[in-house]
Amino acid sequence: AACRAGKAVYCASALNLAADRAIEVRERVEESGIAFMAELPRRHAPATVRLRELIASRLGQPWLLLCHGKDDRSLQDLTRSTASRYRPATGDSQWQTMLELVDWCHYISDRKVTSVLGEEHHADRPNKRWKKVQLGFANGELTAEIFCGRTIPRGWQEAVSYRSPAALQVSCENGVAFLDLPSTLVWFDEAGRHTERLDQDRPVGEQMLMLFHRRVTSLVRNTDDLRATYHALALIDAARQSAEEGRRLDLDS
């Protein structure tokens, strides 16, 4: 409807689409020429922005990403850190969380994914369900391990906070960084430890709305989010297939 009316789209809903529907959405947006922006708060979090600056200037290229997604949201109250609400995804909600984590790691790496390995563990109890995706990148120079699950029963707050892993650990050529969203970044190099708290930055939701406004008013069309969202959906489909078949999938061009 937005494409037919020529209206720009800020997509804050869960993009849990089948492959053929995702292709249709992508083609309609491209044909209509409207501005399209997907709400990807992890990309625009202050800690992520600062990490990319450090990779370019101090830390060097990453060779390992360890991502730990906390599945602590209830289906009745799915709320992002930006305070925007969206409908619960159909099927397994962990795959929707995994989609956002896959996009996050791919965005930070800025490299081509060449292989996917997916694993999932089913159980009657929610705290025994987890999923894991391993992304292999070109030339074997980088691996991303992404875990999503809840291994501790809900309500055990003391256990949850005890030695909780960072949301993302990035090992680079010249150092290592630990991120906790939205604004905590600790990194190490030969000089030692560096702690950065980026609490003075604008809220992530406000930054994304400002970016959307710039895209709507710009004369240069930006379709990066559209391609990135479609690519993340394709990687999740590959991860699901890999988990079902119990083997690593090598991706063609």
Side-chain angles (χ1 to χ4, degrees):
C3 290
R4 288 195 300 268
K7 297 295 184 180
V9 173
Y10 179 96
C11 185
S13 64
L15 291 169
N16 192 12
L17 303 175
D20 56 341
R21 296 292 291 171
I23 293 174
E24 181 183 354
V25 169
R26 184 187 66 176
E27 291 178 346
R28 290 204 176 190
V29 171
E30 289 177 344
E31 291 171 0
S32 68
I34 66 170
F36 176 93
M37 179 173 168
E39 186 181 70
L40 300 169
R42 288 179 174 84
R43 283 182 171 223
H44 303 290
T48 302
V49 175
R50 177 58 177 153
L51 172 65
R52 283 169 59 90
E53 293 175 353
L54 289 171
I55 288 175
S57 60
R58 300 283 296 274
L59 294 175
Q61 288 300 310
W63 57 269
L64 177 65
L65 277 70
L66 299 177
C67 184
H68 190 274
K70 299 177 177 63
D71 182 31
D72 55 1
R73 300 176 299 180
S74 68
L75 287 175
Q76 291 76 22
D77 188 23
L78 285 169
T79 306
R80 293 189 181 184
S81 59
T82 56
S84 63
R85 291 183 170 276
Y86 55 97
R87 293 179 301 170
T90 57
D92 193 336
S93 62
Q94 283 185 352
W95 279 119
Q96 172 60 28
T97 301
M98 183 64 78
L99 185 148
E100 297 176 5
L101 297 176
V102 164
D103 173 79
W104 190 30
C105 290
H106 186 249
Y107 175 71
I108 290 173
S109 68
D110 197 24
R111 300 188 206 178
K112 178 183 176 182
V113 179
T114 57
S115 66
V116 176
L117 176 63
E119 297 179 57
E120 59 179 325
H121 180 73
H122 300 283
D124 295 334
R125 299 173 64 180
N127 59 294
K128 291 185 178 181
R129 299 172 187 164
W130 54 265
K131 292 174 175 56
K132 185 168 69 173
V133 173
Q134 184 185 88
L135 303 179
F137 292 80
N139 302 322
E141 297 177 351
L142 171 65
T143 300
E145 293 272 2
I146 308 170
F147 175 88
C148 179
R150 179 155 50 89
T151 57
I152 300 174
R154 193 181 303 278
W156 292 22
Q157 296 302 323
E158 187 175 1
V160 170
S161 60
Y162 180 69
R163 295 188 180 180
S164 178
L168 182 65
Q169 174 186 331
V170 184
S171 298
C172 303
E173 296 171 349
N174 305 317
V176 58
F178 300 87
L179 282 78
D180 281 306
L181 298 182
S183 57
T184 300
L185 173 63
V186 180
W187 56 281
F188 298 81
D189 60 5
E190 292 183 350
R193 174 174 176 169
H194 310 268
T195 301
E196 300 191 24
R197 296 194 177 276
L198 310 166
D199 298 328
Q200 300 303 315
D201 288 38
R202 292 178 180 270
V204 178
E206 185 176 337
Q207 292 187 49
M208 289 190 294
L209 289 174
M210 292 173 62
L211 178 59
F212 178 58
H213 178 263
R214 287 198 296 271
R215 292 188 181 183
V216 171
T217 56
S218 174
L219 297 178
V220 179
R221 189 168 180 236
N222 187 322
T223 59
D224 289 347
D225 278 5
L226 185 62
R227 289 193 296 267
T229 302
Y230 175 76
H231 188 62
L233 285 167
L235 291 177
I236 288 298
D237 282 345
R240 284 172 167 164
Q241 181 181 346
S242 171
E244 291 173 358
E245 299 178 1
R247 65 183 182 91
R248 177 183 294 276
L249 294 183
D250 293 322
L251 307 179
D252 56 29
S253 58

